[in-house]
Amino acid sequence: MYDKLFEPMKIGTMEVKNRLVVPAMSTLTATPEGASTEQLIAYHERKAKGGWGLIITEYFGVAPNVGFFPKMLGIWNDELIESHKELTRRVHTAGAKIAAQISHSGRETFIGVSDENLVAPSPYRDVSGEKNPRELTVDEIKKIVGLYGDTARNLKKAGFDAVEIYAAHGYLISEFLSKYANKRTDEYGGCLENRMRFLLEIVADVKAKVGKDFPVMVRLSTVEYVPGGLSMGETRVIAKKLEEAGVDAIDCSQGIFTVSHNIVEPMMLDNCVFVDNSAEIKKVVNIPVITAGRINEACLAESVLEAGKADFIGMGRASLADPDFPIKVKEGRLEDIRYCIGCVQGCIGGNMRGENCHCLVNPEMDREYELPENPAETPKTVWIAGGGVAGCEAAIVAANRGHHVVLFEKSDRLGGTWLIAALPPHKTELLTFVGWQKHELKKLGVDIRYNTELTKEMVQEGHPDAVIIATGCKPFIPPIPGSDKPHVIQANDILTQKKKAGENVVVMGGGSVGVETAEFLSWYGSEVTIVEMLDDILIGCERETMLMHRKAIKDENMKVYKGAKVCEIGDDTVTIEKKGKKIVLEDVDTVVVAAGSKPVNTLEPELSEIGVPVKVIGDSKKVRNGLAAIYEGYMAGYE
Ligand code: SF4
């Protein structure tokens, strides 16, 4: 069915068994010295067992402390080479090829430890940078070139099948390539021939140190999407030069950190959004081209190959969401696949919070090394109150471990507030997760009682061994004068179209729900003003998602008042207070409230009275995001 995806293909001398590639993604699970850990090895091994053809690791720094994140892999001594041999051995045993990415983060280097490596072609920081980098001298440039080659040689010794030179995303090499960052006037700056010099010297040094038969790939940002940044016109030339220099594959990405929504695309961006960039590169080179960017389904991946837009498909987050994606596709078990929903909460969101990479839909990701054995020693009867995503996750995990699970859901469907969260523009893919949970529950034969609210009396009668409470949350309207007026409407009622907004709407609350509802209303034609009490909107929202929301706010000409409190709602006015000044918003026909939600948990105190072991999870414990709710569901199921 997906024949092209499973056709083997060579990158240089390396034969890859299929076209499914895991591109480099930071896990932050190396030791502080840069060695592989059991956690990191188990994570890659799990994917190799799942059938991925080629796994590219997160970057190996060319020297200590040159990473974007405080933790990175390293291979500058024999001890480190030994630690990574176990990684390559286990990935090979599981049937995949493994390549290592090599990097210096340049002006994006993490400066928490020291800023000595905060270097760049020119002494200017990017708009998202905090400190100006130091301009590299020509001698220093030559030295760094050699470090790339040394790193590649050591990676080959550790058993890697290939290396990938990381020349994308606004790190050191791409800073040299791009007019956006490179303001030099010597032989490394100015015209494209000069800006390419650093990369081409690195390629030559790497090839000299690993031998001509060892595959070398280069990852490029094909288009940087910043003013003056790399454009396709220049990248075509770079790709061609790389092929002439003996590079064996071009791995196409795009963007730089300042516009990181182009690197790790949130759900607002279309699937396959950047494949035309790789198609342009494919037109000018004869070596394999890898593409990436929100390609999360087999049919999408196959269509990219069929259209001749790339030779390999990078499916990073799809591999986090479901490490068994290739096997499931090959065996035609598409309904078993758990799809990446583009939430960016667990993966890049985790990294940006300084945590390991996680996955919202796959709580086992990154915890492969510590998973308890299935099944449980003593099967129990577990009752779960609430069939939202947290309750369903608990039910799936508990049932998988052999417990007898009964799931009580007071409505006629599963998914809870997740179903409403999926209604704003571009969020529909959230529903694939509910679909997957329903499918798993059915496969596991979980007893689901719809239209049934679990009560204390039912527990007293049924004697379950444990009860998990996942009864979710409900939105509230703050007690503001006028908040009981008929034109004051909850955001949920707008999204579910139970109520209609007028032409001139004030949205109270600039968190994710408020902004998403504002976008929804704008799409349906309303003029929208957002009023947020805090000093900024979208606090707590992931960076990539936030960048997209801010763009939508700008594109739709919404007005935003930050640090402003709603004091009174009149018949057609809303009075707000900002910095001690009252402002009256006039001609308002609808006020939409997105001021937060409160946990719903009346059952816990009742069950505690009768001594039943109870675990409260998700929003019914504390209202947070999906990542926290699903993780708690998963843990409760295991416990
Ligand atoms: Fe995809 Fe979200 Fe998982 Fe990241 S956390 S891999 S975006 S589902």
Side-chain angles (χ1 to χ4, degrees):
M1 188 177 180
Y2 292 113
D3 299 339
K4 283 218 167 290
L5 277 182
F6 293 97
E7 272 176 19
M9 189 175 192
K10 277 188 163 182
I11 293 177
T13 55
M14 170 176 66
E15 170 138 326
V16 182
K17 68 182 176 188
N18 59 40
R19 308 302 182 87
L20 296 164
V21 174
V22 179
M25 289 176 289
S26 292
T27 63
L28 310 192
T29 55
T31 67
E33 294 75 34
S36 280
T37 57
E38 178 54 30
Q39 186 177 15
L40 182 116
I41 295 169
Y43 157 81
H44 286 300
E45 185 182 35
R46 179 73 188 79
K47 293 188 192 194
K49 286 180 178 167
W52 297 89
L54 173 63
I55 294 169
I56 306 172
T57 66
E58 63 205 272
Y59 59 79
F60 281 73
V62 296
N65 302 323
V66 298
F68 174 74
F69 293 113
K71 270 193 191 176
M72 62 171 196
L73 289 163
I75 192 155
W76 41 80
N77 61 41
D78 289 346
E79 217 175 297
L80 289 170
I81 295 174
E82 282 308 309
S83 96
H84 302 309
K85 278 186 181 167
E86 179 64 2
L87 167 64
T88 56
R89 186 190 68 74
R90 280 176 42 194
V91 168
H92 287 150
T93 304
K97 292 285 195 287
I98 181 163
Q101 195 178 64
I102 314 174
S103 178
H104 185 308
S105 299
R107 68 178 182 178
E108 300 294 348
T109 296
F110 178 75
I111 53 170
V113 186
S114 124
D115 58 6
E116 77 173 276
N117 293 321
L118 191 70
V119 293
S122 307
Y124 307 111
R125 66 177 185 275
D126 197 0
V127 289
S128 51
E130 282 168 25
K131 202 166 176 189
N132 283 37
R134 185 168 55 77
E135 183 178 68
L136 284 167
T137 65
V138 170
D139 281 351
E140 285 174 320
I141 291 171
K142 301 281 183 206
K143 203 171 153 209
I144 291 175
V145 167
L147 293 176
Y148 275 86
D150 295 348
T151 307
R153 183 188 52 219
N154 287 353
L155 289 164
K156 187 182 176 189
K157 282 186 195 166
F160 286 92
D161 300 293
V163 292
E164 177 173 276
I165 298 167
Y166 192 16
H169 301 161
Y171 298 128
L172 187 59
I173 299 176
S174 82
E175 288 160 17
F176 271 90
L177 290 173
S178 170
K179 289 190 290 246
Y180 182 70
N182 186 343
K183 312 292 177 187
R184 298 178 79 97
T185 54
D186 62 6
E187 67 269 37
Y188 290 98
C191 63
L192 182 56
E193 287 282 351
N194 283 357
R195 282 181 278 125
M196 284 190 293
R197 193 176 310 280
F198 181 53
L199 172 58
L200 292 172
E201 285 179 358
I202 287 170
V203 170
D205 191 70
V206 166
K207 289 203 77 75
K209 287 173 181 165
V210 295
K212 66 176 176 35
D213 291 338
F214 191 72
V216 175
M217 307 182 288
V218 174
R219 189 161 216 206
L220 292 173
S221 282
T222 48
V223 180
E224 289 188 325
Y225 299 111
V226 286
L230 272 184
S231 63
M232 188 50 76
E234 289 182 318
T235 310
R236 272 195 296 259
V237 176
I238 297 167
K240 191 95 191 103
K241 283 274 183 194
L242 289 171
E243 182 178 29
E244 286 164 18
V247 163
D248 299 287
I250 305 291
D251 186 356
C252 298
S253 185
Q254 56 289 314
I256 63 171
F257 177 70
T258 288
V259 288
S260 62
H261 55 292
N262 296 306
I263 305 173
V264 189
E265 305 84 359
M267 61 181 82
M268 295 86 161
L269 283 174
D270 291 339
N271 302 107
C272 304
V273 56
F274 295 117
V275 292
D276 285 340
N277 292 357
S278 55
E280 281 299 304
I281 298 301
K282 216 173 136 43
K283 282 181 196 166
V284 297
V285 297
N286 294 309
I287 50 178
V289 170
I290 306 172
T291 193
R294 288 276 287 133
I295 305 173
N296 58 354
E297 290 196 47
C299 54
L300 298 171
E302 179 84 2
S303 78
V304 171
L305 297 178
E306 272 176 348
K309 294 189 178 227
D311 301 294
F312 288 90
I313 312 293
M315 300 181 78
R317 288 176 293 159
S319 76
L320 303 181
D322 197 332
D324 291 329
F325 180 95
I327 282 184
K328 289 175 180 174
V329 174
K330 199 166 188 186
E331 294 176 355
R333 294 190 287 126
L334 298 184
E335 68 282 11
D336 287 347
I337 295 172
R338 189 175 37 209
Y339 291 108
C340 166
I341 55 173
C343 66
V344 298
Q345 281 181 17
C347 46
I348 188 68
N351 288 164
M352 294 304 291
R353 291 188 297 274
E355 299 165 10
N356 294 352
C357 175
H358 300 303
C359 177
L360 179 143
V361 300
N362 177 15
E364 290 189 353
M365 185 259 129
D366 206 37
R367 299 181 176 104
E368 297 86 353
Y369 73 114
E370 59 177 7
L371 291 178
E373 292 290 311
N374 276 331
E377 276 173 23
T378 320
K380 291 180 179 170
T381 302
V382 181
W383 284 14
I384 299 173
V389 287
C392 288
E393 190 68 16
I396 291 165
V397 178
N400 252 323
R401 298 205 70 209
H403 298 299
H404 174 63
V405 180
V406 186
L407 179 60
F408 297 88
E409 167 52 43
K410 74 175 183 184
S411 77
D412 61 354
R413 64 197 63 192
L414 299 177
T417 48
W418 196 262
L419 302 178
I420 301 171
L423 292 172
H426 309 301
K427 286 190 76 187
T428 312
E429 274 183 66
L430 287 185
L431 298 177
T432 62
F433 184 54
V434 178
W436 177 82
Q437 288 192 319
K438 284 168 72 176
H439 172 69
E440 290 297 301
L441 290 166
K442 194 172 169 195
K443 265 199 326 195
L444 290 161
V446 170
D447 180 357
I448 305 173
R449 314 265 173 95
Y450 289 103
N451 303 304
T452 309
E453 192 167 356
L454 185 64
T455 63
K456 174 182 163 188
E457 291 70 33
M458 289 158 69
V459 173
Q460 275 175 317
E461 209 172 300
H463 299 296
D465 296 308
V467 174
I468 296 172
I469 297 175
T471 40
C473 61
K474 66 171 182 214
F476 71 96
I477 296 184
I480 293 166
S483 62
D484 53 350
K485 290 183 185 289
H487 67 294
V488 180
I489 300 173
Q490 279 290 0
N492 281 0
D493 289 334
I494 293 290
L495 295 171
T496 53
Q497 299 188 338
K498 284 184 188 146
K499 295 189 179 165
K500 226 174 164 180
E503 286 179 4
N504 198 0
V505 182
V506 170
V507 174
M508 267 176 65
S512 293
V513 175
V515 172
E516 285 166 3
T517 310
E519 287 173 22
F520 181 90
L521 288 164
S522 294
W523 180 245
Y524 278 87
S526 302
E527 296 284 324
V528 181
T529 302
I530 299 170
V531 181
E532 168 56 52
M533 270 177 74
L534 300 175
D535 288 341
D536 204 355
I537 57 169
L538 295 163
I539 286 177
C541 185
E542 310 311 333
R543 186 173 197 277
E544 291 69 26
T545 309
M546 188 172 64
L547 289 167
M548 293 300 296
H549 282 316
R550 289 196 191 280
K551 182 174 181 311
I553 288 170
K554 203 170 161 198
D555 290 351
E556 298 292 336
N557 285 321
M558 295 183 212
K559 276 199 205 94
V560 179
Y561 290 93
K562 297 183 254 184
K565 200 170 91 183
V566 175
C567 309
E568 188 173 359
I569 300 170
D571 288 338
D572 61 357
T573 57
V574 172
T575 306
I576 64 174
E577 190 185 311
K578 185 175 160 75
K579 290 186 179 164
K581 259 195 188 164
K582 292 249 161 92
I583 303 167
V584 180
L585 308 176
E586 292 177 335
D587 299 324
V588 177
D589 47 36
T590 312
V591 177
V592 173
V593 183
S597 299
K598 283 183 175 166
V600 173
N601 176 15
T602 50
L603 202 52
E604 185 189 16
E606 293 179 12
L607 296 187
S608 300
E609 276 174 21
I610 57 172
V612 179
V614 171
K615 183 103 191 159
V616 187
I617 62 167
D619 287 348
S620 50
K621 183 175 166 191
K622 189 178 174 201
V623 180
R624 285 149 302 160
N625 61 12
L627 179 71
I630 292 160
Y631 177 64
E632 280 178 13
Y634 168 84
M635 289 308 292
Y638 259 116
E639 285 164 10

